[in-house]
């Protein structure tokens, strides 16, 4: 279900609105996201709110799991000679280590000066690397960073599985934009765009409420109920209240469906300016 949205102006980074979304979470909740949301500042904000973070490590972060490797004293992204910009702490396993990140020298544009000054100078995080051997995935190894430091309470295997389940978010984004044809906003004013997003959220949550109810009746995981079949059931004559008829997709963990365009585009130039011009 979509519980909260945070619209932002065109060409603004997603991080500009992420702290606002996590304000409504309960202490102990875990915030997950892709590598674009992985930064010292974001993790420090979550830690200050008694929240946990789990993100894929940013591609510019240098990581080496060799015990006792020299660490640079420089801050984020500024370490020389390819040294990790962190201070090493005892490792939990070969691919599970605790490191101390330093506060960046430069302030991100999306945070105020006062909030940035309130952040701690250091942050202890845990870095876990695991291997993906399922066919169809683009990478063979994934490195994640988290504030779930206790390896006994949060084993590396479960941390990896938790981030693996995050991919369901990307599947749901595909349902919103492709399956339900909500990928293009047609309003041209701020109020119009906000209303359009609100209507999209209402429709999507209506579909999701039915898939959840059907999953409860049929005793399967909610993500196995077909979204396409649910939409057809809603707009067709079958919508008589019996959600047990909704199609259940087979459980296929690790299956990858590359996105492709089924039909060829028309051989016309793209419109890059108003027709009147």
């Amino acid at each position: 279900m979509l519980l909260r949205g945070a619209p932002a102006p065109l060409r603004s980074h997603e991080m500009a609105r992420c702290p606002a979304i996590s304000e409504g979470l309960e202490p102990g909740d875990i915030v997950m996201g892709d590598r674009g949301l992985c930064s010292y500042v974001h993790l420090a904000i979550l830690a200050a709110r008694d929240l946990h973070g789990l993100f894929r490590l940013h591609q510019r972060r240098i990581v080496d799991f060799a015990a006792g490797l020299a660490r640079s004293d420089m801050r984020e992204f500024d370490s020389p000679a390819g040294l990790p910009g962190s201070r090493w702490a005892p490792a939990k396993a070969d691919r599970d280590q605790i490191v101390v990140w330093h506060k960046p020298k430069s302030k991100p544009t999306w945070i105020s000066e006062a909030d940035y000054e309130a952040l701690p100078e250091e942050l202890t995080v845990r870095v876990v690397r695991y291997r993906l051997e399922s066919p169809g995935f683009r990478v063979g190894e994934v490195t994640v960073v988290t504030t779930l430091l206790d390896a006994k309470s949060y084993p590396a295997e479960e941390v990896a599985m938790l981030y693996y389940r995050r991919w369901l978010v990307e599947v749901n984004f595909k349902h919103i934009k492709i399956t339900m044809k909500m990928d293009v906003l047609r309003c041209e004013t701020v109020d119009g765009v906000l209303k359009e997003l609100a209507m999209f959220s209402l429709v999507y949550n209506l579909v999701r409420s039915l898939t959840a109810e059907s999953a409860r009746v049929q005793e399967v995981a909610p993500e196995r109920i077909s979204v396409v079949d649910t939409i057809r059931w809603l707009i067709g004559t079958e919508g008589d209240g019996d959600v047990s008829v909704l199609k259940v997709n087979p459980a296929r963990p690790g299956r990858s469906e590359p996105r492709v365009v089924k039909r060829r585009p028309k051989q016309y130039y793209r419109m890059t300016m108003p027709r009147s011009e």
Side-chain angles (χ1 to χ4, degrees):
M1 304 287 283
L2 288 173
L3 303 183
R4 182 179 294 116
L10 182 66
R11 298 185 180 90
S12 59
H13 198 278
E14 293 175 346
M15 272 306 312
R17 300 298 295 156
C18 281
I21 293 180
S22 61
E23 284 180 352
L25 301 180
E26 299 291 334
D29 284 351
I30 302 176
V31 179
M32 291 193 291
D34 58 22
R35 59 179 45 158
L37 306 182
C38 177
S39 68
Y40 175 96
V41 176
H42 193 196
L43 286 168
I45 291 175
L46 296 179
R49 296 174 179 174
D50 294 326
L51 302 172
H52 290 293
L54 175 58
F55 306 98
R56 188 169 181 181
L57 191 70
H58 195 278
Q59 64 270 19
R60 292 182 62 188
R61 275 281 184 183
I62 301 174
V63 175
D64 196 308
F65 287 89
L69 183 75
R71 270 3 187 218
S72 168
D73 292 331
M74 302 296 289
R75 298 169 184 250
E76 189 173 30
F77 304 148
D78 295 327
S79 56
L83 293 179
S86 58
R87 190 172 72 250
W88 184 80
K92 302 296 182 182
D94 292 341
R95 297 193 170 201
D96 187 356
Q97 69 177 6
I98 303 293
V99 296
V100 179
W101 283 1
H102 306 295
K103 186 176 180 179
K105 291 180 179 179
S106 57
K107 179 188 73 68
T109 57
W110 51 267
I111 187 174
S112 67
E113 191 70 37
D115 291 340
Y116 183 75
E117 290 298 328
L119 298 179
E121 292 297 322
E122 292 184 344
L123 181 67
T124 303
V125 297
R126 180 181 175 195
V127 182
V128 178
R129 176 173 291 172
Y130 61 94
R131 187 167 187 82
L132 287 175
E133 298 181 355
S134 300
F137 282 83
R138 293 176 296 177
V139 296
E141 289 185 334
V142 174
T143 305
V144 296
V145 59
T146 180
T147 54
L148 300 169
L149 304 181
D150 190 350
K152 188 174 182 179
S153 301
Y154 310 103
E157 296 78 10
E158 295 188 13
V159 171
M161 182 56 64
L162 181 60
Y163 188 78
Y164 175 77
R165 282 184 54 82
R166 190 206 69 85
W167 184 253
L168 291 175
V169 175
E170 304 294 340
V171 176
N172 293 335
F173 284 160
K174 185 190 75 170
H175 286 316
I176 293 173
K177 295 191 289 186
I178 306 302
T179 306
M180 304 184 70
K181 297 180 175 59
M182 299 179 180
D183 56 325
V184 177
L185 302 181
R186 291 169 174 81
C187 294
E188 298 181 357
T189 64
V190 174
D191 289 340
V193 168
L194 295 179
K195 291 177 182 178
E196 196 170 359
L197 289 174
M199 293 305 301
F200 284 170
S201 301
L202 284 172
V203 174
Y204 175 75
N205 282 348
L206 170 62
V207 173
R208 276 302 178 199
S209 64
L210 288 173
T211 59
E213 177 62 17
S214 179
R216 185 190 65 82
V217 172
Q218 302 189 65
E219 298 182 347
V220 297
E223 59 266 20
R224 290 185 57 189
I225 302 298
S226 171
V227 173
V228 174
D229 193 53
T230 303
I231 296 173
R232 292 170 178 169
W233 183 86
L234 271 172
I235 64 178
T237 57
E238 306 85 31
D240 57 358
D242 183 11
V243 294
S244 64
V245 301
L246 297 183
K247 181 179 179 180
V248 178
N249 292 323
R252 294 172 288 201
R255 182 185 176 105
S256 177
E257 294 286 356
R259 298 183 183 181
V260 296
V261 178
K262 186 176 181 180
R263 297 178 179 175
R264 293 182 179 179
K266 302 296 183 182
Q267 300 300 316
Y268 298 119
Y269 293 109
R270 294 187 179 275
M271 181 177 288
T272 58
M273 62 181 67
R275 189 173 292 276
S276 60
E277 299 179 16

mmCIF file of all heavy atoms in Angstrom, residues 80-123:
data_model
loop_
_atom_site.group_PDB
_atom_site.id
_atom_site.type_symbol
_atom_site.label_atom_id
_atom_site.label_comp_id
_atom_site.label_asym_id
_atom_site.label_seq_id
_atom_site.Cartn_x
_atom_site.Cartn_y
_atom_site.Cartn_z
ATOM 1 N N PRO A 80 42.629 9.426 -0.293
ATOM 2 C CA PRO A 80 43.614 9.314 -1.380
ATOM 3 C C PRO A 80 43.991 7.872 -1.658
ATOM 4 O O PRO A 80 43.770 6.976 -0.843
ATOM 5 C CB PRO A 80 44.805 10.084 -0.813
ATOM 6 C CG PRO A 80 44.706 9.862 0.680
ATOM 7 C CD PRO A 80 43.227 9.797 0.995
ATOM 8 N N ALA A 81 44.579 7.656 -2.799
ATOM 9 C CA ALA A 81 45.177 6.371 -3.172
ATOM 10 C C ALA A 81 44.211 5.206 -3.062
ATOM 11 O O ALA A 81 44.610 4.076 -2.823
ATOM 12 C CB ALA A 81 46.417 6.095 -2.314
ATOM 13 N N GLY A 82 42.924 5.470 -3.211
ATOM 14 C CA GLY A 82 41.944 4.389 -3.202
ATOM 15 C C GLY A 82 41.720 3.741 -1.855
ATOM 16 O O GLY A 82 41.197 2.627 -1.784
ATOM 17 N N LEU A 83 42.104 4.407 -0.755
ATOM 18 C CA LEU A 83 41.887 3.836 0.563
ATOM 19 C C LEU A 83 40.459 4.082 1.022
ATOM 20 O O LEU A 83 39.875 5.130 0.745
ATOM 21 C CB LEU A 83 42.858 4.451 1.578
ATOM 22 C CG LEU A 83 44.346 4.128 1.390
ATOM 23 C CD1 LEU A 83 45.162 4.834 2.449
ATOM 24 C CD2 LEU A 83 44.572 2.627 1.446
ATOM 25 N N PRO A 84 39.869 3.125 1.746
ATOM 26 C CA PRO A 84 38.514 3.340 2.262
ATOM 27 C C PRO A 84 38.463 4.542 3.198
ATOM 28 O O PRO A 84 39.328 4.698 4.059
ATOM 29 C CB PRO A 84 38.209 2.037 3.018
ATOM 30 C CG PRO A 84 39.120 1.029 2.408
ATOM 31 C CD PRO A 84 40.366 1.763 2.039
ATOM 32 N N GLY A 85 37.480 5.397 3.012
ATOM 33 C CA GLY A 85 37.343 6.586 3.850
ATOM 34 C C GLY A 85 36.614 6.284 5.135
ATOM 35 O O GLY A 85 35.574 6.871 5.416
ATOM 36 N N SER A 86 37.119 5.355 5.926
ATOM 37 C CA SER A 86 36.469 4.965 7.167
ATOM 38 C C SER A 86 37.512 4.365 8.101
ATOM 39 O O SER A 86 38.631 4.057 7.695
ATOM 40 C CB SER A 86 35.359 3.945 6.889
ATOM 41 O OG SER A 86 35.885 2.807 6.246
ATOM 42 N N ARG A 87 37.136 4.221 9.360
ATOM 43 C CA ARG A 87 38.013 3.588 10.322
ATOM 44 C C ARG A 87 37.527 2.177 10.585
ATOM 45 O O ARG A 87 36.361 1.947 10.890
ATOM 46 C CB ARG A 87 38.047 4.390 11.625
ATOM 47 C CG ARG A 87 39.148 3.897 12.590
ATOM 48 C CD ARG A 87 39.311 4.807 13.791
ATOM 49 N NE ARG A 87 38.208 4.707 14.732
ATOM 50 C CZ ARG A 87 37.306 5.656 14.942
ATOM 51 N NH1 ARG A 87 37.380 6.787 14.265
ATOM 52 N NH2 ARG A 87 36.343 5.504 15.816
ATOM 53 N N TRP A 88 38.414 1.194 10.457
ATOM 54 C CA TRP A 88 38.041 -0.204 10.561
ATOM 55 C C TRP A 88 37.843 -0.612 11.999
ATOM 56 O O TRP A 88 38.549 -0.177 12.895
ATOM 57 C CB TRP A 88 39.125 -1.060 9.897
ATOM 58 C CG TRP A 88 38.815 -2.522 9.863
ATOM 59 C CD1 TRP A 88 38.002 -3.160 8.975
ATOM 60 C CD2 TRP A 88 39.319 -3.538 10.727
ATOM 61 N NE1 TRP A 88 37.972 -4.509 9.227
ATOM 62 C CE2 TRP A 88 38.767 -4.758 10.305
ATOM 63 C CE3 TRP A 88 40.184 -3.521 11.825
ATOM 64 C CZ2 TRP A 88 39.061 -5.959 10.936
ATOM 65 C CZ3 TRP A 88 40.465 -4.710 12.449
ATOM 66 C CH2 TRP A 88 39.916 -5.916 12.008
ATOM 67 N N ALA A 89 36.855 -1.460 12.245
ATOM 68 C CA ALA A 89 36.622 -2.055 13.556
ATOM 69 C C ALA A 89 36.616 -3.565 13.377
ATOM 70 O O ALA A 89 36.614 -4.059 12.248
ATOM 71 C CB ALA A 89 35.301 -1.554 14.133
ATOM 72 N N PRO A 90 36.643 -4.349 14.465
ATOM 73 C CA PRO A 90 36.699 -5.817 14.317
ATOM 74 C C PRO A 90 35.604 -6.360 13.411
ATOM 75 O O PRO A 90 34.447 -5.970 13.509
ATOM 76 C CB PRO A 90 36.538 -6.308 15.755
ATOM 77 C CG PRO A 90 37.049 -5.190 16.591
ATOM 78 C CD PRO A 90 36.671 -3.928 15.862
ATOM 79 N N ALA A 91 35.993 -7.268 12.532
ATOM 80 C CA ALA A 91 35.050 -7.850 11.586
ATOM 81 C C ALA A 91 34.236 -8.946 12.255
ATOM 82 O O ALA A 91 34.691 -9.602 13.185
ATOM 83 C CB ALA A 91 35.795 -8.413 10.378
ATOM 84 N N LYS A 92 33.007 -9.146 11.777
ATOM 85 C CA LYS A 92 32.151 -10.221 12.263
ATOM 86 C C LYS A 92 32.410 -11.509 11.496
ATOM 87 O O LYS A 92 32.254 -12.590 12.027
ATOM 88 C CB LYS A 92 30.684 -9.812 12.112
ATOM 89 C CG LYS A 92 30.319 -8.527 12.854
ATOM 90 C CD LYS A 92 30.460 -8.678 14.351
ATOM 91 C CE LYS A 92 30.034 -7.403 15.079
ATOM 92 N NZ LYS A 92 30.205 -7.530 16.533
ATOM 93 N N ALA A 93 32.753 -11.382 10.233
ATOM 94 C CA ALA A 93 33.021 -12.539 9.377
ATOM 95 C C ALA A 93 33.833 -12.042 8.195
ATOM 96 O O ALA A 93 34.201 -10.865 8.109
ATOM 97 C CB ALA A 93 31.721 -13.213 8.936
ATOM 98 N N ASP A 94 34.112 -12.961 7.248
ATOM 99 C CA ASP A 94 34.921 -12.590 6.097
ATOM 100 C C ASP A 94 34.289 -11.462 5.294
ATOM 101 O O ASP A 94 34.990 -10.604 4.752
ATOM 102 C CB ASP A 94 35.146 -13.816 5.204
ATOM 103 C CG ASP A 94 36.029 -14.854 5.880
ATOM 104 O OD1 ASP A 94 36.741 -14.487 6.833
ATOM 105 O OD2 ASP A 94 35.989 -16.021 5.454
ATOM 106 N N ARG A 95 32.964 -11.465 5.204
ATOM 107 C CA ARG A 95 32.259 -10.443 4.420
ATOM 108 C C ARG A 95 31.241 -9.702 5.276
ATOM 109 O O ARG A 95 30.160 -9.350 4.820
ATOM 110 C CB ARG A 95 31.569 -11.091 3.216
ATOM 111 C CG ARG A 95 32.550 -11.739 2.249
ATOM 112 C CD ARG A 95 31.897 -12.082 0.943
ATOM 113 N NE ARG A 95 32.883 -12.473 -0.040
ATOM 114 C CZ ARG A 95 32.686 -12.441 -1.352
ATOM 115 N NH1 ARG A 95 31.520 -12.032 -1.817
ATOM 116 N NH2 ARG A 95 33.615 -12.810 -2.198
ATOM 117 N N ASP A 96 31.596 -9.482 6.503
ATOM 118 C CA ASP A 96 30.712 -8.803 7.448
ATOM 119 C C ASP A 96 31.595 -8.036 8.421
ATOM 120 O O ASP A 96 32.257 -8.621 9.268
ATOM 121 C CB ASP A 96 29.851 -9.835 8.186
ATOM 122 C CG ASP A 96 28.792 -9.177 9.065
ATOM 123 O OD1 ASP A 96 28.781 -7.933 9.146
ATOM 124 O OD2 ASP A 96 27.994 -9.907 9.685
ATOM 125 N N GLN A 97 31.625 -6.694 8.281
ATOM 126 C CA GLN A 97 32.529 -5.908 9.099
ATOM 127 C C GLN A 97 31.841 -4.665 9.644
ATOM 128 O O GLN A 97 30.816 -4.222 9.124
ATOM 129 C CB GLN A 97 33.769 -5.495 8.296
ATOM 130 C CG GLN A 97 33.480 -4.481 7.199
ATOM 131 C CD GLN A 97 34.731 -4.050 6.466
ATOM 132 O OE1 GLN A 97 35.811 -4.564 6.689
ATOM 133 N NE2 GLN A 97 34.590 -3.075 5.580
ATOM 134 N N ILE A 98 32.409 -4.137 10.710
ATOM 135 C CA ILE A 98 31.956 -2.893 11.311
ATOM 136 C C ILE A 98 32.994 -1.816 10.993
ATOM 137 O O ILE A 98 34.191 -2.025 11.195
ATOM 138 C CB ILE A 98 31.795 -3.031 12.834
ATOM 139 C CG1 ILE A 98 30.818 -4.161 13.177
ATOM 140 C CG2 ILE A 98 31.334 -1.714 13.449
ATOM 141 C CD1 ILE A 98 29.391 -3.883 12.771
ATOM 142 N N VAL A 99 32.541 -0.679 10.498
ATOM 143 C CA VAL A 99 33.437 0.431 10.204
ATOM 144 C C VAL A 99 32.849 1.710 10.777
ATOM 145 O O VAL A 99 31.646 1.784 11.072
ATOM 146 C CB VAL A 99 33.676 0.600 8.682
ATOM 147 C CG1 VAL A 99 34.382 -0.606 8.106
ATOM 148 C CG2 VAL A 99 32.362 0.864 7.964
ATOM 149 N N VAL A 100 33.694 2.692 10.925
ATOM 150 C CA VAL A 100 33.273 4.002 11.421
ATOM 151 C C VAL A 100 33.403 5.003 10.296
ATOM 152 O O VAL A 100 34.503 5.214 9.765
ATOM 153 C CB VAL A 100 34.120 4.439 12.635
ATOM 154 C CG1 VAL A 100 33.684 5.823 13.116
ATOM 155 C CG2 VAL A 100 33.999 3.421 13.765
ATOM 156 N N TRP A 101 32.284 5.604 9.918
ATOM 157 C CA TRP A 101 32.297 6.612 8.872
ATOM 158 C C TRP A 101 32.491 7.992 9.480
ATOM 159 O O TRP A 101 32.036 8.267 10.592
ATOM 160 C CB TRP A 101 30.973 6.583 8.081
ATOM 161 C CG TRP A 101 30.894 5.460 7.108
ATOM 162 C CD1 TRP A 101 31.816 4.496 6.880
ATOM 163 C CD2 TRP A 101 29.814 5.193 6.216
ATOM 164 N NE1 TRP A 101 31.391 3.637 5.897
ATOM 165 C CE2 TRP A 101 30.162 4.036 5.472
ATOM 166 C CE3 TRP A 101 28.588 5.800 5.960
ATOM 167 C CZ2 TRP A 101 29.333 3.491 4.503
ATOM 168 C CZ3 TRP A 101 27.746 5.261 4.989
ATOM 169 C CH2 TRP A 101 28.116 4.117 4.266
ATOM 170 N N HIS A 102 33.155 8.860 8.716
ATOM 171 C CA HIS A 102 33.389 10.225 9.154
ATOM 172 C C HIS A 102 32.362 11.158 8.510
ATOM 173 O O HIS A 102 31.902 10.930 7.395
ATOM 174 C CB HIS A 102 34.798 10.677 8.778
ATOM 175 C CG HIS A 102 35.873 9.764 9.264
ATOM 176 N ND1 HIS A 102 36.136 9.558 10.588
ATOM 177 C CD2 HIS A 102 36.757 8.980 8.588
ATOM 178 C CE1 HIS A 102 37.129 8.703 10.722
ATOM 179 N NE2 HIS A 102 37.520 8.328 9.519
ATOM 180 N N LYS A 103 32.058 12.194 9.207
ATOM 181 C CA LYS A 103 31.117 13.201 8.704
ATOM 182 C C LYS A 103 31.722 13.910 7.495
ATOM 183 O O LYS A 103 32.883 14.317 7.528
ATOM 184 C CB LYS A 103 30.806 14.211 9.803
ATOM 185 C CG LYS A 103 29.731 15.221 9.466
ATOM 186 C CD LYS A 103 29.458 16.109 10.668
ATOM 187 C CE LYS A 103 28.384 17.143 10.385
ATOM 188 N NZ LYS A 103 28.131 17.976 11.588
ATOM 189 N N PRO A 104 30.971 14.050 6.404
ATOM 190 C CA PRO A 104 31.521 14.709 5.207
ATOM 191 C C PRO A 104 31.917 16.157 5.483
ATOM 192 O O PRO A 104 31.328 16.836 6.331
ATOM 193 C CB PRO A 104 30.371 14.632 4.194
ATOM 194 C CG PRO A 104 29.477 13.551 4.703
ATOM 195 C CD PRO A 104 29.606 13.564 6.192
ATOM 196 N N LYS A 105 32.904 16.631 4.740
ATOM 197 C CA LYS A 105 33.317 18.026 4.880
ATOM 198 C C LYS A 105 32.260 18.983 4.342
ATOM 199 O O LYS A 105 31.996 20.033 4.921
ATOM 200 C CB LYS A 105 34.636 18.246 4.135
ATOM 201 C CG LYS A 105 35.840 17.554 4.752
ATOM 202 C CD LYS A 105 37.075 17.854 3.928
ATOM 203 C CE LYS A 105 38.308 17.196 4.520
ATOM 204 N NZ LYS A 105 39.530 17.454 3.705
ATOM 205 N N SER A 106 31.686 18.622 3.192
ATOM 206 C CA SER A 106 30.719 19.516 2.543
ATOM 207 C C SER A 106 29.299 19.118 2.910
ATOM 208 O O SER A 106 28.976 17.938 3.023
ATOM 209 C CB SER A 106 30.896 19.477 1.025
ATOM 210 O OG SER A 106 30.751 18.156 0.547
ATOM 211 N N LYS A 107 28.458 20.107 3.089
ATOM 212 C CA LYS A 107 27.059 19.892 3.453
ATOM 213 C C LYS A 107 26.219 19.649 2.207
ATOM 214 O O LYS A 107 26.318 20.392 1.234
ATOM 215 C CB LYS A 107 26.525 21.118 4.199
ATOM 216 C CG LYS A 107 25.064 21.021 4.600
ATOM 217 C CD LYS A 107 24.558 22.323 5.159
ATOM 218 C CE LYS A 107 24.377 23.360 4.074
ATOM 219 N NZ LYS A 107 23.265 22.996 3.143
ATOM 220 N N PRO A 108 25.383 18.606 2.191
ATOM 221 C CA PRO A 108 24.467 18.424 1.053
ATOM 222 C C PRO A 108 23.506 19.603 0.933
ATOM 223 O O PRO A 108 23.151 20.246 1.926
ATOM 224 C CB PRO A 108 23.721 17.128 1.408
ATOM 225 C CG PRO A 108 24.593 16.433 2.405
ATOM 226 C CD PRO A 108 25.285 17.509 3.171
ATOM 227 N N THR A 109 23.084 19.871 -0.264
ATOM 228 C CA THR A 109 22.219 21.033 -0.493
ATOM 229 C C THR A 109 20.827 20.857 0.099
ATOM 230 O O THR A 109 20.138 21.843 0.348
ATOM 231 C CB THR A 109 22.098 21.302 -2.003
ATOM 232 O OG1 THR A 109 21.591 20.115 -2.647
ATOM 233 C CG2 THR A 109 23.455 21.644 -2.596
ATOM 234 N N TRP A 110 20.394 19.611 0.346
ATOM 235 C CA TRP A 110 19.023 19.381 0.777
ATOM 236 C C TRP A 110 18.829 19.461 2.286
ATOM 237 O O TRP A 110 17.716 19.313 2.783
ATOM 238 C CB TRP A 110 18.545 18.015 0.279
ATOM 239 C CG TRP A 110 19.452 16.875 0.600
ATOM 240 C CD1 TRP A 110 20.440 16.363 -0.184
ATOM 241 C CD2 TRP A 110 19.464 16.091 1.803
ATOM 242 N NE1 TRP A 110 21.068 15.318 0.444
ATOM 243 C CE2 TRP A 110 20.491 15.128 1.661
ATOM 244 C CE3 TRP A 110 18.695 16.104 2.973
ATOM 245 C CZ2 TRP A 110 20.768 14.189 2.650
ATOM 246 C CZ3 TRP A 110 18.978 15.172 3.956
ATOM 247 C CH2 TRP A 110 20.005 14.233 3.793
ATOM 248 N N ILE A 111 19.887 19.714 3.059
ATOM 249 C CA ILE A 111 19.773 19.793 4.506
ATOM 250 C C ILE A 111 20.199 21.179 4.963
ATOM 251 O O ILE A 111 21.108 21.799 4.384
ATOM 252 C CB ILE A 111 20.626 18.701 5.186
ATOM 253 C CG1 ILE A 111 20.371 18.669 6.696
ATOM 254 C CG2 ILE A 111 22.095 18.888 4.892
ATOM 255 C CD1 ILE A 111 21.065 17.516 7.390
ATOM 256 N N SER A 112 19.545 21.699 6.002
ATOM 257 C CA SER A 112 19.866 23.031 6.503
ATOM 258 C C SER A 112 21.192 23.013 7.260
ATOM 259 O O SER A 112 21.659 21.964 7.714
ATOM 260 C CB SER A 112 18.751 23.540 7.416
ATOM 261 O OG SER A 112 18.680 22.757 8.603
ATOM 262 N N GLU A 113 21.766 24.188 7.410
ATOM 263 C CA GLU A 113 23.041 24.300 8.110
ATOM 264 C C GLU A 113 22.923 23.854 9.560
ATOM 265 O O GLU A 113 23.800 23.163 10.103
ATOM 266 C CB GLU A 113 23.541 25.745 8.046
ATOM 267 C CG GLU A 113 24.967 25.938 8.518
ATOM 268 C CD GLU A 113 25.986 25.338 7.570
ATOM 269 O OE1 GLU A 113 25.762 25.412 6.349
ATOM 270 O OE2 GLU A 113 26.995 24.788 8.064
ATOM 271 N N ALA A 114 21.828 24.241 10.223
ATOM 272 C CA ALA A 114 21.644 23.884 11.630
ATOM 273 C C ALA A 114 21.493 22.371 11.803
ATOM 274 O O ALA A 114 22.077 21.778 12.723
ATOM 275 C CB ALA A 114 20.431 24.609 12.194
ATOM 276 N N ASP A 115 20.709 21.741 10.938
ATOM 277 C CA ASP A 115 20.529 20.288 11.032
ATOM 278 C C ASP A 115 21.824 19.558 10.731
ATOM 279 O O ASP A 115 22.115 18.520 11.342
ATOM 280 C CB ASP A 115 19.431 19.830 10.061
ATOM 281 C CG ASP A 115 18.055 20.305 10.489
ATOM 282 O OD1 ASP A 115 17.883 20.635 11.676
ATOM 283 O OD2 ASP A 115 17.152 20.355 9.631
ATOM 284 N N TYR A 116 22.605 20.088 9.797
ATOM 285 C CA TYR A 116 23.872 19.439 9.470
ATOM 286 C C TYR A 116 24.854 19.545 10.631
ATOM 287 O O TYR A 116 25.565 18.577 10.939
ATOM 288 C CB TYR A 116 24.458 20.066 8.213
ATOM 289 C CG TYR A 116 25.736 19.411 7.759
ATOM 290 C CD1 TYR A 116 25.719 18.167 7.140
ATOM 291 C CD2 TYR A 116 26.970 20.041 7.954
ATOM 292 C CE1 TYR A 116 26.895 17.553 6.727
ATOM 293 C CE2 TYR A 116 28.149 19.437 7.543
ATOM 294 C CZ TYR A 116 28.103 18.195 6.935
ATOM 295 O OH TYR A 116 29.269 17.600 6.534
ATOM 296 N N GLU A 117 24.910 20.684 11.288
ATOM 297 C CA GLU A 117 25.826 20.866 12.412
ATOM 298 C C GLU A 117 25.450 19.969 13.587
ATOM 299 O O GLU A 117 26.300 19.600 14.401
ATOM 300 C CB GLU A 117 25.830 22.330 12.854
ATOM 301 C CG GLU A 117 26.478 23.271 11.854
ATOM 302 C CD GLU A 117 27.948 22.958 11.622
ATOM 303 O OE1 GLU A 117 28.597 22.499 12.578
ATOM 304 O OE2 GLU A 117 28.433 23.160 10.494
ATOM 305 N N ALA A 118 24.166 19.606 13.690
ATOM 306 C CA ALA A 118 23.714 18.766 14.800
ATOM 307 C C ALA A 118 24.084 17.301 14.625
ATOM 308 O O ALA A 118 23.978 16.521 15.578
ATOM 309 C CB ALA A 118 22.206 18.899 14.973
ATOM 310 N N LEU A 119 24.515 16.899 13.428
ATOM 311 C CA LEU A 119 24.873 15.506 13.185
ATOM 312 C C LEU A 119 26.196 15.165 13.874
ATOM 313 O O LEU A 119 27.070 16.019 14.005
ATOM 314 C CB LEU A 119 24.989 15.248 11.675
ATOM 315 C CG LEU A 119 23.718 15.444 10.849
ATOM 316 C CD1 LEU A 119 24.015 15.173 9.376
ATOM 317 C CD2 LEU A 119 22.601 14.535 11.338
ATOM 318 N N PRO A 120 26.366 13.918 14.290
ATOM 319 C CA PRO A 120 27.616 13.522 14.949
ATOM 320 C C PRO A 120 28.788 13.519 13.966
ATOM 321 O O PRO A 120 28.593 13.428 12.753
ATOM 322 C CB PRO A 120 27.320 12.111 15.468
ATOM 323 C CG PRO A 120 26.248 11.606 14.548
ATOM 324 C CD PRO A 120 25.400 12.798 14.204
ATOM 325 N N GLU A 121 30.001 13.594 14.519
ATOM 326 C CA GLU A 121 31.200 13.610 13.686
ATOM 327 C C GLU A 121 31.536 12.225 13.142
ATOM 328 O O GLU A 121 32.234 12.105 12.138
ATOM 329 C CB GLU A 121 32.384 14.154 14.481
ATOM 330 C CG GLU A 121 32.270 15.625 14.824
ATOM 331 C CD GLU A 121 32.244 16.505 13.587
ATOM 332 O OE1 GLU A 121 32.980 16.193 12.630
ATOM 333 O OE2 GLU A 121 31.492 17.497 13.588
ATOM 334 N N GLU A 122 31.071 11.163 13.799
ATOM 335 C CA GLU A 122 31.324 9.804 13.369
ATOM 336 C C GLU A 122 30.063 8.978 13.484
ATOM 337 O O GLU A 122 29.174 9.279 14.286
ATOM 338 C CB GLU A 122 32.447 9.162 14.201
ATOM 339 C CG GLU A 122 33.811 9.758 13.977
ATOM 340 C CD GLU A 122 34.882 9.014 14.759
ATOM 341 O OE1 GLU A 122 34.510 8.252 15.694
ATOM 342 O OE2 GLU A 122 36.073 9.166 14.443
ATOM 343 N N LEU A 123 29.993 7.935 12.684
ATOM 344 C CA LEU A 123 28.845 7.044 12.682
ATOM 345 C C LEU A 123 29.337 5.620 12.466
ATOM 346 O O LEU A 123 30.069 5.350 11.515
ATOM 347 C CB LEU A 123 27.853 7.435 11.585
ATOM 348 C CG LEU A 123 26.581 6.588 11.476
ATOM 349 C CD1 LEU A 123 25.708 6.789 12.708
ATOM 350 C CD2 LEU A 123 25.798 6.953 10.213
#
